[in-house]
Amino acid sequence: MQTRRSNNEAGFSLIELIIAMTITITVMGLASSILASAFNVRSREDRKSDAVADVQRAMNIMTREISNAGLKLPSGLPNVSSNGIVSNDSDSQSLRVVSNLNGMPDSANAYFEDSDVTDMDEDLKFLMYVDTDLNQRYLVRYEKNATNTTTVLANRVDSLIFRYYDEKVTYDTTIDASGNCDITNVKNAAGADESEVSPGEAKFIVVAVAVTLPAVGTQGIEGYQPPSQVQLTSDVVLRNSIVY
């Protein structure tokens, strides 16, 4: 008996296989490129979120501790203004504050304030430290008393600035291409322009920090992500000196 093979049962030709493989490889390549780009964007956004969260935590710490400036200050402290700011050690790039956080009741439960500000957390300085070798900038808290330790509050910052006013203000924020941040269009409660005062006269402080993420990839090439800049600000009321 002879078996006859129908032409309809014939397999793919070599050319058909090559075309199918080419199409499959092209589609897989495009899918891989899109997937890789999505992963890069996700990774970049994760780094941005981490950096911003780091600085936000640092700003919360700074705001809380700076607001205590001038609390129950004993008399006769050298170079310390009545608002608790050490004037000769504070400017737009750093801020040193003093407060008296400790006291104790006597047998009649009357409260007696401590006669000095030499305990832990009572003499603090905040500034940005620049490590030129690693090209890294750190937001740091320096404890002047106790162990004289420096604590890194955030390690992905580009600039830090302090602005001093004698009343509460509103403002706009600005950041340049180099990552330097500041505030502009500063107005008081009456809507008039408000000028900055010396640190020793301040009742209201604005702290601004800039975070910049570098570019990823090469401009003009798929997957490129430009530099990303974020500015965070915090308003600090020196609650022991301001009157509303």
Side-chain angles (χ1 to χ4, degrees):
M1 179 183 291
Q2 293 183 349
T3 303
R4 301 180 64 182
R5 178 176 296 177
S6 171
N7 289 335
N8 292 334
E9 298 178 1
F12 293 106
S13 68
L14 180 60
I15 294 178
E16 290 173 330
L17 287 173
I18 291 175
I19 292 174
M21 291 176 62
T22 301
I23 294 173
T24 302
I25 291 172
T26 301
V27 172
M28 291 179 64
L30 290 173
S32 298
S33 176
I34 294 173
L35 188 60
S37 177
F39 278 135
N40 286 337
V41 171
R42 176 61 181 272
S43 177
R44 172 66 175 272
E45 289 304 309
D46 286 345
R47 292 197 301 272
K48 179 179 178 180
S49 297
D50 288 344
V52 171
D54 244 7
V55 173
Q56 188 62 66
R57 283 190 293 269
M59 297 281 273
N60 290 340
I61 293 172
M62 292 172 61
T63 300
R64 182 180 67 250
E65 296 190 312
I66 292 172
S67 68
N68 283 328
L71 177 66
K72 304 173 186 175
L73 286 183
S75 60
L77 294 178
N79 302 316
V80 180
S81 303
S82 59
N83 61 0
I85 295 178
V86 183
S87 299
N88 66 346
D89 202 12
S90 300
D91 52 30
S92 63
Q93 301 299 309
S94 64
L95 172 61
R96 182 180 170 190
V97 296
V98 174
S99 56
N100 187 356
L101 303 178
N102 297 315
M104 57 184 300
D106 63 7
S107 57
N109 288 324
Y111 189 85
F112 286 91
E113 296 172 5
D114 197 356
S115 60
D116 59 53
V117 290
T118 59
D119 297 323
M120 184 177 293
D121 300 331
E122 290 187 339
D123 190 344
L124 305 172
K125 186 174 182 179
F126 300 95
L127 68 156
M128 186 177 72
Y129 172 74
V130 180
D131 188 329
T132 55
D133 294 332
L134 297 177
N135 192 29
Q136 184 75 42
R137 294 174 174 84
Y138 306 94
L139 184 57
V140 300
R141 172 190 186 271
Y142 177 53
E143 167 69 59
K144 302 284 285 188
N145 295 332
T147 57
N148 294 322
T149 56
T150 298
T151 304
V152 175
L153 300 178
N155 59 7
R156 284 172 286 189
V157 299
D158 288 271
S159 64
L160 166 69
I161 195 163
F162 298 96
R163 295 299 184 192
Y164 306 88
Y165 301 94
D166 61 1
E167 63 177 296
K168 189 174 183 178
V169 297
T170 60
Y171 51 84
D172 297 327
T173 60
T174 180
I175 182 171
D176 64 22
S178 299
N180 298 310
C181 63
D182 208 342
I183 60 173
T184 59
N185 193 31
V186 182
K187 305 288 185 181
N188 58 26
D193 292 338
E194 183 71 13
S195 299
E196 198 172 2
V197 298
S198 66
E201 299 174 330
K203 299 178 181 179
F204 186 85
I205 300 174
V206 179
V207 186
V209 178
V211 178
T212 301
L213 293 177
V216 175
T218 304
Q219 189 170 7
I221 297 178
E222 186 177 357
Y224 169 74
Q225 297 177 53
S228 175
Q229 297 176 321
V230 179
Q231 178 173 336
L232 294 90
T233 58
S234 180
D235 299 344
V236 187
V237 176
L238 301 184
R239 58 190 181 194
N240 303 295
S241 61
I242 197 166
V243 177
Y244 287 107

